Amino acid sequence: SSSSSSSSSSSSSAAAAAAAGDGAASSLAGPGPALRAPHAAVGGKPSVVMPSLPDFKQVKTYEGHTGSISSVRLSKGFDAGRLILSASADRTVKIWHTSSGTLLRDWAGHEQGVADVAWSDQSDFAVSASDDGSVRVWDVEADTCLAALRGHDSQVMSVDFSPRGNLIASGGTDDRVVLWDARSGRQLRSIPAHSGPITGVSFSPDGQLLATSAFDGLIRFWDVATGHCLYTLIDDSAPCVGAVRFTANGCFVLSSTLDSSVRLWDYAGNKTVRRMTGHENTRFTCLPALCCSSENKRAHRVVSATEAGPGVQVWELQSAAPLQTVSGFGGVPLTIDAHLTQDAFVTGEIGTRPPLRLFVAGDASWLAEEAEEDKAALGIGVPAAAATA
């Protein structure tokens, strides 16, 4: 069970969520699944629609980090999913071609391990958060660090770019959220947001709300323009919240908690609408993700780490039924991100020289096609004269 408190303030995101509610009228994404009951009456008798079982298989690894991988993000915008951004305890931030596996960027500069990374909306910039207390902004094309932002008193655990790319939010072990001007690097606002280390920050798709999660067991929603707290969500048992992220339409948030649960919240309706269990997650803050089936764009799946194995657990969202446990990891996969258009996800795990891993369900021919396009773009296997023509 769950409870929440809210103020009378509102935003377009909150209004959309309130209008959606639970049931047949609500959906998770632009095209997305209606959250409906798993049982439907046929001929007066109830019938159960069984979810299709995915078959996620590892198709690629990316090796280069020398410390535990703390964050992975697939690119957004025009080149959605074609690049992977990763961060590690080895103090580096890297960018890889998803299909070819080519390492494109290898950024150093942080003095301690890097805890989180995020892309700008068109993936032309990246931002990183580090245990050294800084937030760094990177220009992908120019291959350089534009700024090192300092405003936290201790480690920075989470970071996100606003949809328009003009704001950066960061959360740290000092229990504060800081909002930055992405262009000037100026600190706009510092909010004492929680009574415990902040594990996640996530902008809503319209950029008007910021969701935060923390060890204090709370998920809070902030008006970006005013800095006011609009909603607070808490489960009755108040487990530590390991991560939070908005769904694509901004009507829901997905969270993981250290009671071995992944929850989908209708934050304006003040309730949990789905709870996924059956995995083990009591020690590490693990980021879950929402996958869209390539066969049925309205069939969503939730993926998150399980410390037992270790591995990745896959659930069907509609019924919260477990579908598959993906194994074969050397360490707990702390971080997962899902492809926006393909039935695929990428992981990063704990270890001394851990790889990133790409998993695909069903037909993976798109990967080979993209690899050829990427090789041509990079000039790989193309005569020098042709490559520069």
Side-chain angles (χ1 to χ4, degrees):
S1 59
S2 59
S3 60
S4 73
S5 60
S6 65
S7 73
S8 59
S9 301
S10 63
S11 71
S12 61
S13 293
D22 191 16
S26 64
S27 62
L28 279 178
L35 289 177
R36 61 188 183 277
H39 299 274
V42 179
K45 296 181 180 181
S47 62
V48 179
V49 179
M50 297 301 294
S52 59
L53 295 179
D55 186 20
F56 283 102
K57 295 179 180 178
Q58 179 178 307
V59 297
K60 204 166 193 63
T61 59
Y62 312 81
E63 297 182 357
H65 281 298
T66 57
S68 296
I69 299 169
S70 52
S71 184
V72 291
R73 295 290 185 275
L74 286 156
S75 55
K76 305 176 182 179
F78 179 76
D79 288 330
R82 298 180 84 106
L83 301 175
I84 303 172
L85 178 67
S86 63
S88 170
D90 65 10
R91 307 182 183 185
T92 68
V93 175
K94 301 181 189 294
I95 296 179
W96 319 75
H97 254 124
T98 305
S99 53
S100 67
T102 304
L103 179 63
L104 299 178
R105 298 288 183 266
D106 190 358
W107 293 325
H110 283 294
E111 297 172 1
Q112 296 183 40
V114 187
D116 197 16
V117 285
W119 292 104
S120 63
D121 189 51
Q122 294 302 315
S123 300
D124 45 356
F125 298 95
V127 63
S128 57
S130 171
D131 292 347
D132 65 13
S134 73
V135 173
R136 286 182 176 260
V137 184
W138 307 88
D139 186 319
V140 176
E141 182 67 26
D143 191 15
T144 188
C145 179
L146 297 177
L149 313 179
R150 298 187 180 274
H152 286 278
D153 297 329
S154 54
Q155 296 102 319
V156 190
M157 295 180 68
S158 53
V159 70
D160 197 20
F161 252 113
S162 68
R164 292 176 56 192
N166 60 323
L167 298 175
I168 293 169
S170 57
T173 57
D174 56 4
D175 308 347
R176 294 188 300 122
V177 168
V178 177
L179 286 175
W180 311 85
D181 184 307
R183 295 180 178 86
S184 67
R186 183 168 61 93
Q187 184 179 137
L188 301 177
R189 184 172 286 111
S190 179
I191 305 171
H194 290 268
S195 58
I198 296 171
T199 58
V201 293
S202 177
F203 280 100
S204 61
D206 63 8
Q208 296 190 31
L209 290 181
L210 180 73
T212 60
S213 61
F215 280 178
D216 61 9
L218 305 180
I219 300 173
R220 285 186 161 149
F221 298 83
W222 307 87
D223 185 308
V224 173
T226 65
H228 294 158
C229 182
L230 303 181
Y231 301 94
T232 296
L233 303 177
I234 183 172
D235 189 83
D236 288 345
S237 59
C240 294
V241 186
V244 66
R245 68 195 318 171
F246 272 96
T247 57
N249 69 351
C251 294
F252 303 90
V253 291
L254 194 66
S255 71
S256 64
T257 48
L258 299 190
D259 62 347
S260 300
S261 298
V262 175
R263 292 172 172 85
L264 184 74
W265 296 85
D266 171 4
Y267 61 88
N270 302 339
K271 59 185 177 182
T272 302
V273 293
R274 293 292 182 271
R275 182 184 178 201
M276 279 63 70
T277 59
H279 64 307
E280 181 181 321
N281 182 202
T282 59
R283 295 182 294 154
F284 300 104
T285 57
C286 300
L287 182 66
L290 196 61
C291 288
C292 182
S293 169
S294 56
E295 296 177 358
N296 180 0
K297 298 302 183 183
R298 296 178 64 82
H300 280 67
R301 298 160 181 159
V302 176
V303 291
S304 190
T306 178
E307 294 160 5
V312 170
Q313 184 64 52
V314 184
W315 296 269
E316 189 210 25
L317 180 63
Q318 294 289 356
S319 63
L323 301 178
Q324 183 185 0
T325 301
V326 183
S327 59
F329 293 87
V332 177
L334 296 178
T335 177
I336 302 175
D337 199 26
H339 201 290
L340 292 176
T341 59
Q342 301 291 343
D343 209 357
F345 60 84
V346 63
T347 65
E349 65 200 66
I350 295 173
T352 53
R353 301 186 68 86
L356 282 71
R357 303 177 192 267
L358 179 67
F359 294 85
V360 176
D363 182 16
S365 60
W366 58 271
L367 199 60
E369 293 170 2
E370 287 188 1
E372 291 304 314
E373 295 173 4
D374 292 341
K375 287 180 181 179
L378 291 169
I380 299 175
V382 179
T388 56

